[in-house]
Amino acid sequence: MAAVKDIVTLVLDKDHKTTVTVHLHGATVLAWKTQGKEIIFVSESAIYDNKKAIRGGIPLVFPNFGPWELEPQHGFARISRWKLEKKPEKDDSGAMTAVFTLTDNKDTRKMWDHKFKLTYTLYLTEKTFKTTLKVDNTGKETFTFTTLLHTYFRTDDVTKATVSGLQGLEYVDKVRGDGKFTEDRELVTVAGEVDRAYAGTPNNHVITGVTGGGKVLMEKANLPDTVVWNPWVDKAKAMGDFRDDEYPSMLCVEAGHVATPLSLGASQSFTGSQTLTLMDE
Ligand code: TA6
């Protein structure tokens, strides 16, 4: 279990029906409960040693999506200790907000010799949860990066889940040797291992079959690509921090800028966000 000292909780209402829980390791969102329903998946076998990436929630991928010759896969943001920059508090509209930051340090510069500041803003209302990542290049040289919000949605039965908005789009399929294919289905479903990075996706996806909640609307801003992942049987067995029987209970739908690297000049910034809404049934 995560230690209390590592956890920040946003509570919108006195009954705790709408809350968000964040671990300072990676500023990893561990839970988003809305109207009493938990939407996010975290593995029962997740490791909270403040070293390994937490298996589930919304890991932050920066500065590299995927395998990285500089190590580790998906970059260092999700395995770094973030700072709680602004404690959870209600704004004038009644939304609950909190801000986390990560700046370059000797460990990050050893892997990736650039100066940066990441600002991660959480915005919670009764039915919506918005996460915004701002990347500031605080150095003097241009750097390139890819970034992604690696959201694990909780499902009752992943084979009954669907993802809209991908029809006609090209994707790289990791399950088929990184080959390029075109999606021909209006609704993407899962009946085996799925590991696809779709490029140039629409800002909106509807994910159905989410536990308890039913349907979630994902609205992306400045994150033009979408990765869909379920490990299925064999990959589930291969992950020590994921139970063999958990693959039916999750589906990753990940908003990112991963198809082509972003280039950020000195003193320039990038901002990308996703807003999740539990849709009325
Ligand atoms: O987002 C899909 C993916 O890149 C998969 O290939 C799989 O590796 C997944 O991320 C989890 O990666 P992790 O490094 O957290 O085990």
Side-chain angles (χ1 to χ4, degrees):
M1 273 312 284
V4 173
K5 67 177 173 54
D6 297 332
I7 295 294
V8 175
T9 307
L10 289 73
V11 179
L12 191 74
D13 60 305
K14 62 178 176 30
D15 303 327
H16 289 225
K17 281 189 174 298
T18 300
T19 61
V20 163
T21 308
V22 186
H23 199 295
L24 289 171
H25 183 61
T28 308
V29 169
L30 298 181
W32 166 43
K33 191 167 67 166
T34 177
Q35 303 152 73
K37 297 163 183 167
E38 180 51 63
I39 305 298
I40 298 294
F41 167 90
V42 175
S43 172
E44 296 289 319
S45 300
I47 295 166
Y48 299 94
D49 62 1
N50 285 317
K51 294 190 186 80
K52 185 173 173 52
I54 296 168
R55 178 63 64 197
I58 308 180
L60 284 172
V61 172
F62 176 89
N64 187 83
F65 171 75
W68 193 28
E69 69 284 351
L70 302 176
E71 287 296 327
Q73 163 154 288
H74 291 338
F76 46 64
R78 66 175 183 165
I79 56 172
S80 297
R81 183 81 176 182
W82 286 58
K83 180 186 171 203
L84 176 58
E85 192 73 32
K86 192 169 92 49
K87 286 190 169 56
E89 66 177 6
K90 280 206 174 175
D91 68 10
D92 299 343
S93 72
M96 184 59 83
T97 66
V99 180
F100 300 83
T101 55
L102 176 69
T103 52
D104 60 284
N105 56 55
K106 62 176 174 40
D107 296 329
T108 68
R109 287 191 298 270
K110 223 184 306 176
M111 287 183 250
W112 191 66
D113 191 14
H114 295 290
K115 294 179 66 57
F116 66 86
K117 179 176 181 179
L118 302 182
T119 304
Y120 190 43
T121 304
L122 277 55
Y123 183 88
L124 177 67
T125 70
E126 189 196 355
K127 293 189 179 181
T128 67
F129 175 38
K130 181 174 184 180
T131 48
T132 303
L133 181 66
K134 183 169 182 270
V135 180
D136 288 305
N137 179 347
T138 55
K140 294 187 170 30
E141 312 87 34
T142 294
F143 60 64
T144 61
F145 66 98
T146 50
T147 189
L148 173 132
L149 301 173
H150 200 296
T151 308
Y152 286 70
F153 290 98
R154 184 181 286 231
T155 58
D156 286 323
D157 172 356
V158 71
T159 65
K160 295 192 170 53
T162 66
V163 184
S164 74
L166 297 168
Q167 189 170 33
L169 296 178
E170 188 174 84
Y171 63 91
V172 173
D173 190 345
K174 268 184 80 170
V175 176
R176 287 185 283 176
D178 284 345
K180 288 192 174 179
F181 302 89
T182 301
E183 182 55 67
D184 58 8
R185 294 169 296 175
E186 184 189 346
L187 297 176
V188 167
T189 55
V190 175
E193 182 185 354
V194 173
D195 195 346
R196 302 177 171 194
Y198 294 83
T201 56
N203 286 337
N204 291 11
H205 295 297
V206 173
I207 301 124
T208 68
V210 177
T211 292
K215 283 194 295 189
V216 172
L217 170 65
M218 174 187 278
E219 296 169 286
K220 305 185 283 125
N222 231 4
L223 294 174
D225 309 314
T226 306
V227 175
V228 179
W229 177 59
N230 181 281
W232 207 250
V233 176
D234 295 342
K235 290 284 169 54
K237 284 187 181 140
M239 291 186 284
D241 59 350
F242 189 88
R243 278 199 347 224
D244 296 358
D245 63 355
E246 285 185 314
Y247 70 88
S249 307
M250 51 72 67
L251 177 63
C252 282
V253 181
E254 310 158 22
H257 197 302
V258 297
T260 54
L262 274 154
S263 183
L264 211 52
S267 306
Q268 286 187 331
S269 298
F270 162 84
T271 299
S273 71
Q274 72 174 15
T275 302
L276 303 177
T277 303
L278 176 63
M279 299 171 76
D280 296 331
E281 282 155 8

